[in-house]
mmCIF file of all heavy atoms in Angstrom:
data_model
loop_
_atom_site.group_PDB
_atom_site.id
_atom_site.type_symbol
_atom_site.label_atom_id
_atom_site.label_comp_id
_atom_site.label_asym_id
_atom_site.label_seq_id
_atom_site.Cartn_x
_atom_site.Cartn_y
_atom_site.Cartn_z
ATOM 1 N N GLU A 49 32.294 55.056 21.612
ATOM 2 C CA GLU A 49 32.527 56.410 22.126
ATOM 3 C C GLU A 49 32.136 57.464 21.083
ATOM 4 O O GLU A 49 31.513 58.484 21.432
ATOM 5 C CB GLU A 49 33.994 56.571 22.529
ATOM 6 C CG GLU A 49 34.379 55.835 23.800
ATOM 7 C CD GLU A 49 34.603 54.335 23.599
ATOM 8 O OE1 GLU A 49 34.649 53.880 22.432
ATOM 9 O OE2 GLU A 49 34.726 53.621 24.608
ATOM 10 N N HIS A 50 32.498 57.225 19.824
ATOM 11 C CA HIS A 50 32.096 58.166 18.779
ATOM 12 C C HIS A 50 30.579 58.235 18.668
ATOM 13 O O HIS A 50 30.003 59.316 18.487
ATOM 14 C CB HIS A 50 32.696 57.750 17.431
ATOM 15 C CG HIS A 50 34.185 57.914 17.351
ATOM 16 N ND1 HIS A 50 34.809 59.135 17.563
ATOM 17 C CD2 HIS A 50 35.177 57.029 17.082
ATOM 18 C CE1 HIS A 50 36.125 58.988 17.415
ATOM 19 N NE2 HIS A 50 36.369 57.721 17.131
ATOM 20 N N LEU A 51 29.916 57.086 18.776
ATOM 21 C CA LEU A 51 28.459 57.070 18.682
ATOM 22 C C LEU A 51 27.834 57.824 19.852
ATOM 23 O O LEU A 51 26.876 58.593 19.664
ATOM 24 C CB LEU A 51 27.954 55.631 18.617
ATOM 25 C CG LEU A 51 26.469 55.451 18.267
ATOM 26 C CD1 LEU A 51 26.244 54.154 17.485
ATOM 27 C CD2 LEU A 51 25.577 55.474 19.504
ATOM 28 N N ALA A 52 28.361 57.624 21.051
ATOM 29 C CA ALA A 52 27.801 58.302 22.218
ATOM 30 C C ALA A 52 27.958 59.813 22.107
ATOM 31 O O ALA A 52 27.026 60.575 22.412
ATOM 32 C CB ALA A 52 28.481 57.787 23.491
ATOM 33 N N LEU A 53 29.132 60.265 21.682
ATOM 34 C CA LEU A 53 29.357 61.701 21.522
ATOM 35 C C LEU A 53 28.406 62.307 20.497
ATOM 36 O O LEU A 53 27.809 63.367 20.719
ATOM 37 C CB LEU A 53 30.811 61.961 21.103
ATOM 38 C CG LEU A 53 31.883 61.725 22.172
ATOM 39 C CD1 LEU A 53 33.272 61.726 21.536
ATOM 40 C CD2 LEU A 53 31.805 62.787 23.267
ATOM 41 N N GLU A 54 28.257 61.633 19.364
ATOM 42 C CA GLU A 54 27.396 62.151 18.306
ATOM 43 C C GLU A 54 25.927 62.083 18.709
ATOM 44 O O GLU A 54 25.134 62.957 18.344
ATOM 45 C CB GLU A 54 27.623 61.353 17.013
ATOM 46 C CG GLU A 54 26.921 61.933 15.793
ATOM 47 C CD GLU A 54 27.517 63.260 15.337
ATOM 48 O OE1 GLU A 54 28.628 63.627 15.796
ATOM 49 O OE2 GLU A 54 26.866 63.932 14.513
ATOM 50 N N ALA A 55 25.547 61.056 19.458
ATOM 51 C CA ALA A 55 24.157 60.938 19.892
ATOM 52 C C ALA A 55 23.756 62.117 20.771
ATOM 53 O O ALA A 55 22.665 62.675 20.621
ATOM 54 C CB ALA A 55 23.951 59.621 20.636
ATOM 55 N N VAL A 56 24.623 62.490 21.700
ATOM 56 C CA VAL A 56 24.299 63.625 22.562
ATOM 57 C C VAL A 56 24.195 64.905 21.739
ATOM 58 O O VAL A 56 23.288 65.718 21.937
ATOM 59 C CB VAL A 56 25.348 63.771 23.683
ATOM 60 C CG1 VAL A 56 25.127 65.054 24.483
ATOM 61 C CG2 VAL A 56 25.295 62.561 24.614
ATOM 62 N N ARG A 57 25.093 65.075 20.769
ATOM 63 C CA ARG A 57 25.063 66.267 19.927
ATOM 64 C C ARG A 57 23.815 66.317 19.056
ATOM 65 O O ARG A 57 23.162 67.354 18.934
ATOM 66 C CB ARG A 57 26.304 66.327 19.037
ATOM 67 C CG ARG A 57 27.592 66.705 19.746
ATOM 68 C CD ARG A 57 28.700 67.030 18.761
ATOM 69 N NE ARG A 57 29.160 65.862 18.042
ATOM 70 C CZ ARG A 57 30.323 65.240 18.278
ATOM 71 N NH1 ARG A 57 31.119 65.677 19.251
ATOM 72 N NH2 ARG A 57 30.686 64.196 17.570
ATOM 73 N N ARG A 58 23.485 65.178 18.422
ATOM 74 C CA ARG A 58 22.414 65.164 17.430
ATOM 75 C C ARG A 58 21.042 64.843 18.007
ATOM 76 O O ARG A 58 20.023 65.315 17.493
ATOM 77 C CB ARG A 58 22.744 64.130 16.339
ATOM 78 C CG ARG A 58 24.004 64.433 15.543
ATOM 79 C CD ARG A 58 23.817 65.637 14.619
ATOM 80 N NE ARG A 58 22.853 65.371 13.575
ATOM 81 C CZ ARG A 58 23.151 64.855 12.374
ATOM 82 N NH1 ARG A 58 24.406 64.525 12.108
ATOM 83 N NH2 ARG A 58 22.216 64.667 11.463
ATOM 84 N N LEU A 59 20.999 64.021 19.059
ATOM 85 C CA LEU A 59 19.723 63.552 19.587
ATOM 86 C C LEU A 59 19.326 64.213 20.905
ATOM 87 O O LEU A 59 18.156 64.159 21.288
ATOM 88 C CB LEU A 59 19.767 62.032 19.784
ATOM 89 C CG LEU A 59 20.083 61.207 18.530
ATOM 90 C CD1 LEU A 59 20.149 59.727 18.861
ATOM 91 C CD2 LEU A 59 19.068 61.474 17.430
ATOM 92 N N GLY A 60 20.296 64.832 21.580
ATOM 93 C CA GLY A 60 19.963 65.542 22.809
ATOM 94 C C GLY A 60 18.916 66.630 22.607
ATOM 95 O O GLY A 60 17.943 66.702 23.363
ATOM 96 N N PRO A 61 19.063 67.493 21.577
ATOM 97 C CA PRO A 61 18.034 68.514 21.347
ATOM 98 C C PRO A 61 16.660 67.920 21.080
ATOM 99 O O PRO A 61 15.643 68.453 21.530
ATOM 100 C CB PRO A 61 18.575 69.279 20.126
ATOM 101 C CG PRO A 61 20.055 69.066 20.176
ATOM 102 C CD PRO A 61 20.234 67.674 20.697
ATOM 103 N N GLU A 62 16.620 66.810 20.347
ATOM 104 C CA GLU A 62 15.339 66.147 20.076
ATOM 105 C C GLU A 62 14.669 65.717 21.372
ATOM 106 O O GLU A 62 13.465 65.929 21.573
ATOM 107 C CB GLU A 62 15.574 64.920 19.190
ATOM 108 C CG GLU A 62 14.326 64.079 18.971
ATOM 109 C CD GLU A 62 14.632 62.685 18.444
ATOM 110 O OE1 GLU A 62 15.578 62.049 18.946
ATOM 111 O OE2 GLU A 62 13.917 62.248 17.529
ATOM 112 N N ALA A 63 15.434 65.098 22.272
ATOM 113 C CA ALA A 63 14.880 64.623 23.541
ATOM 114 C C ALA A 63 14.378 65.786 24.388
ATOM 115 O O ALA A 63 13.301 65.710 25.006
ATOM 116 C CB ALA A 63 15.942 63.821 24.297
ATOM 117 N N GLU A 64 15.134 66.859 24.428
ATOM 118 C CA GLU A 64 14.739 68.025 25.220
ATOM 119 C C GLU A 64 13.445 68.625 24.684
ATOM 120 O O GLU A 64 12.522 68.945 25.453
ATOM 121 C CB GLU A 64 15.853 69.068 25.197
ATOM 122 C CG GLU A 64 15.551 70.309 26.026
ATOM 123 C CD GLU A 64 16.694 71.308 25.972
ATOM 124 O OE1 GLU A 64 17.064 71.719 24.851
ATOM 125 O OE2 GLU A 64 17.208 71.675 27.042
ATOM 126 N N GLN A 65 13.342 68.771 23.358
ATOM 127 C CA GLN A 65 12.139 69.348 22.761
ATOM 128 C C GLN A 65 10.928 68.451 22.976
ATOM 129 O O GLN A 65 9.814 68.929 23.208
ATOM 130 C CB GLN A 65 12.379 69.600 21.272
ATOM 131 C CG GLN A 65 13.381 70.710 21.006
ATOM 132 C CD GLN A 65 13.691 70.854 19.519
ATOM 133 O OE1 GLN A 65 12.904 70.434 18.675
ATOM 134 N NE2 GLN A 65 14.827 71.449 19.201
ATOM 135 N N TRP A 66 11.130 67.135 22.883
ATOM 136 C CA TRP A 66 10.028 66.216 23.110
ATOM 137 C C TRP A 66 9.492 66.341 24.529
ATOM 138 O O TRP A 66 8.267 66.412 24.747
ATOM 139 C CB TRP A 66 10.480 64.774 22.862
ATOM 140 C CG TRP A 66 9.510 63.777 23.438
ATOM 141 C CD1 TRP A 66 8.284 63.437 22.944
ATOM 142 C CD2 TRP A 66 9.681 63.040 24.651
ATOM 143 N NE1 TRP A 66 7.684 62.514 23.771
ATOM 144 C CE2 TRP A 66 8.514 62.255 24.821
ATOM 145 C CE3 TRP A 66 10.703 62.955 25.592
ATOM 146 C CZ2 TRP A 66 8.355 61.395 25.914
ATOM 147 C CZ3 TRP A 66 10.544 62.105 26.678
ATOM 148 C CH2 TRP A 66 9.379 61.343 26.832
ATOM 149 N N ALA A 67 10.377 66.375 25.525
ATOM 150 C CA ALA A 67 9.939 66.459 26.914
ATOM 151 C C ALA A 67 9.208 67.771 27.175
ATOM 152 O O ALA A 67 8.165 67.791 27.849
ATOM 153 C CB ALA A 67 11.138 66.310 27.856
ATOM 154 N N ASP A 68 9.718 68.877 26.638
ATOM 155 C CA ASP A 68 9.057 70.172 26.817
ATOM 156 C C ASP A 68 7.667 70.159 26.190
ATOM 157 O O ASP A 68 6.696 70.655 26.775
ATOM 158 C CB ASP A 68 9.902 71.283 26.194
ATOM 159 C CG ASP A 68 11.180 71.564 26.975
ATOM 160 O OD1 ASP A 68 11.274 71.120 28.145
ATOM 161 O OD2 ASP A 68 12.083 72.213 26.416
ATOM 162 N N ARG A 69 7.558 69.603 24.991
ATOM 163 C CA ARG A 69 6.271 69.565 24.299
ATOM 164 C C ARG A 69 5.283 68.658 25.028
ATOM 165 O O ARG A 69 4.098 68.987 25.174
ATOM 166 C CB ARG A 69 6.458 69.082 22.857
ATOM 167 C CG ARG A 69 5.177 69.125 22.036
ATOM 168 C CD ARG A 69 5.421 68.709 20.597
ATOM 169 N NE ARG A 69 5.854 67.330 20.508
ATOM 170 C CZ ARG A 69 7.088 66.947 20.206
ATOM 171 N NH1 ARG A 69 8.026 67.848 19.978
ATOM 172 N NH2 ARG A 69 7.401 65.670 20.122
ATOM 173 N N ALA A 70 5.775 67.511 25.514
ATOM 174 C CA ALA A 70 4.899 66.574 26.217
ATOM 175 C C ALA A 70 4.328 67.202 27.483
ATOM 176 O O ALA A 70 3.140 67.040 27.791
ATOM 177 C CB ALA A 70 5.665 65.299 26.549
ATOM 178 N N ARG A 71 5.158 67.924 28.223
ATOM 179 C CA ARG A 71 4.671 68.556 29.449
ATOM 180 C C ARG A 71 3.682 69.679 29.141
ATOM 181 O O ARG A 71 2.737 69.912 29.903
ATOM 182 C CB ARG A 71 5.850 69.085 30.260
ATOM 183 C CG ARG A 71 6.730 67.983 30.844
ATOM 184 C CD ARG A 71 7.763 68.518 31.819
ATOM 185 N NE ARG A 71 8.556 67.426 32.371
ATOM 186 C CZ ARG A 71 9.735 67.041 31.893
ATOM 187 N NH1 ARG A 71 10.275 67.685 30.864
ATOM 188 N NH2 ARG A 71 10.380 66.029 32.444
ATOM 189 N N ALA A 72 3.912 70.382 28.020
ATOM 190 C CA ALA A 72 2.978 71.442 27.648
ATOM 191 C C ALA A 72 1.630 70.871 27.212
ATOM 192 O O ALA A 72 0.575 71.452 27.501
ATOM 193 C CB ALA A 72 3.576 72.284 26.513
ATOM 194 N N GLU A 73 1.647 69.728 26.550
ATOM 195 C CA GLU A 73 0.412 69.124 26.051
ATOM 196 C C GLU A 73 -0.314 68.315 27.114
ATOM 197 O O GLU A 73 -1.523 68.087 27.013
ATOM 198 C CB GLU A 73 0.723 68.231 24.850
ATOM 199 C CG GLU A 73 1.196 69.008 23.637
ATOM 200 C CD GLU A 73 1.541 68.108 22.462
ATOM 201 O OE1 GLU A 73 1.459 66.866 22.608
ATOM 202 O OE2 GLU A 73 1.874 68.638 21.394
ATOM 203 N N GLN A 74 0.411 67.879 28.139
ATOM 204 C CA GLN A 74 -0.182 67.096 29.228
ATOM 205 C C GLN A 74 0.203 67.710 30.572
ATOM 206 O O GLN A 74 1.082 67.192 31.268
ATOM 207 C CB GLN A 74 0.281 65.643 29.163
ATOM 208 C CG GLN A 74 -0.246 64.859 27.984
ATOM 209 C CD GLN A 74 0.096 63.384 28.103
ATOM 210 O OE1 GLN A 74 0.889 62.965 28.942
ATOM 211 N NE2 GLN A 74 -0.507 62.580 27.258
ATOM 212 N N PRO A 75 -0.423 68.805 30.941
ATOM 213 C CA PRO A 75 -0.085 69.440 32.223
ATOM 214 C C PRO A 75 -0.240 68.447 33.379
ATOM 215 O O PRO A 75 -1.220 67.720 33.469
ATOM 216 C CB PRO A 75 -1.109 70.579 32.323
ATOM 217 C CG PRO A 75 -1.509 70.861 30.916
ATOM 218 C CD PRO A 75 -1.472 69.533 30.213
ATOM 219 N N GLY A 76 0.759 68.420 34.217
ATOM 220 C CA GLY A 76 0.713 67.541 35.369
ATOM 221 C C GLY A 76 1.171 66.117 35.111
ATOM 222 O O GLY A 76 1.162 65.301 36.037
ATOM 223 N N VAL A 77 1.584 65.813 33.881
ATOM 224 C CA VAL A 77 2.045 64.457 33.595
ATOM 225 C C VAL A 77 3.285 64.157 34.425
ATOM 226 O O VAL A 77 4.144 65.015 34.620
ATOM 227 C CB VAL A 77 2.336 64.292 32.087
ATOM 228 C CG1 VAL A 77 3.517 65.158 31.657
ATOM 229 C CG2 VAL A 77 2.601 62.827 31.733
ATOM 230 N N SER A 78 3.383 62.948 34.921
ATOM 231 C CA SER A 78 4.509 62.594 35.771
ATOM 232 C C SER A 78 5.737 62.209 34.945
ATOM 233 O O SER A 78 5.611 61.807 33.778
ATOM 234 C CB SER A 78 4.133 61.420 36.683
ATOM 235 O OG SER A 78 3.987 60.230 35.929
ATOM 236 N N SER A 79 6.877 62.320 35.564
ATOM 237 C CA SER A 79 8.114 61.909 34.890
ATOM 238 C C SER A 79 8.103 60.421 34.579
ATOM 239 O O SER A 79 8.589 59.985 33.535
ATOM 240 C CB SER A 79 9.320 62.256 35.766
ATOM 241 O OG SER A 79 9.456 63.645 35.920
#
Side-chain angles (χ1 to χ4, degrees):
E49 287 79 10
H50 291 302
L51 190 148
L53 289 168
E54 188 69 13
V56 173
R57 286 192 291 254
R58 297 289 294 270
L59 302 178
E62 174 196 43
E64 182 180 57
Q65 291 175 22
W66 164 74
D68 289 344
R69 185 177 64 252
R71 292 189 179 95
E73 293 178 357
Q74 291 188 349
V77 66
S78 69
S79 295

